[in-house]
Amino acid sequence: GPASGGPADNEGPKLISIQPNIKSQKINPHEKIILEFNELLDPISIPASISLKEDYKIKIRRKRIIISPNKAWPDNQILNIQLSRRVRDYHKNIMAEPVQLVYSTGAPIPHCYISGNIEGFSNQNIIDVGLYRWPIHDSSKVIQKVEVNKDGFFEFRFIDYGEYTLGAIEAVLTDFNYQ
């Protein structure tokens, strides 16, 4: 556990190193993605804080998260990894901002983004913002979702050019039509 004494720890963990670099193209199908933080992580907070469509395994080693493919990363695909602000340290402090990583196993990485700001919220609450194709209808599926940072700012990165609809909720976004 953390050492006692010294000033109170009121800040969440900060990501200090990423291997391989974000936007790496043609990564190895068995490449491990290693995230290193500035302090010890609460391992209980990690599994539910990672969002990735492909099958993966994680290992948590003190200040590191190691993400590897279950078998192999799919060929000619984009890997979009979302790391929630819910990653916390042993003092239950959450991260100040979410992390979005993108890698390619051969496909070109989109270069567009959408950013914005949510006003009038408590920075202790986590707000999910969902990105949907325009026009939205009952069977619309979320393309991507992100969390706002502690200042209310959000950004959808690495998306294709097009028209979109955004929806935000002060909870975990699972089914926009229902929620």
Side-chain angles (χ1 to χ4, degrees), residues 137-156:
H137 47 79
D138 289 347
S139 61
S140 291
K141 301 269 190 240
V142 67
I143 298 167
Q144 192 179 121
K145 71 177 184 175
V146 296
E147 296 174 346
V148 300
N149 69 12
K150 65 180 179 61
D151 300 318
F153 180 78
F154 66 89
E155 185 173 40
F156 292 97

Side-chain angles (χ1 to χ4, degrees), residues 2-11 39 89 91 93:
S4 60
D9 179 6
N10 296 322
E11 291 187 10
E39 62 181 314
D89 62 18
H91 294 286
N93 299 313

Side-chain angles (χ1 to χ4, degrees), residues 48-100:
S49 299
I50 297 174
S51 175
L52 174 61
K53 290 180 182 174
E54 289 75 17
D55 289 334
Y56 65 93
K57 299 180 278 194
I58 59 169
K59 290 182 184 174
I60 300 130
R61 300 281 189 260
R62 302 177 51 84
K63 297 179 182 182
R64 285 186 175 177
I65 300 173
I66 303 166
I67 303 169
S68 56
N70 218 9
K71 293 182 181 172
W73 299 123
D75 285 337
N76 206 28
Q77 296 290 319
I78 300 293
L79 302 176
N80 194 331
I81 303 169
Q82 303 281 340
L83 194 60
S84 170
R85 285 183 59 203
R86 290 176 178 85
V87 171
R88 63 181 186 250
D89 62 18
Y90 276 102
H91 294 286
K92 308 295 183 212
N93 299 313
I94 62 173
M95 295 193 326
E97 57 188 64
V99 176
Q100 183 178 13

Side-chain angles (χ1 to χ4, degrees), residues 120-133:
F121 79 101
S122 166
N123 66 4
Q124 295 301 313
N125 298 330
I126 296 178
I127 296 176
D128 274 358
V129 182
L131 181 73
Y132 300 86
R133 291 264 177 231

Side-chain angles (χ1 to χ4, degrees), residues 153-168:
F153 180 78
F154 66 89
E155 185 173 40
F156 292 97
R157 299 168 60 199
F158 317 114
I159 59 175
D160 292 318
Y161 181 81
E163 293 183 347
Y164 299 96
T165 298
L166 302 178

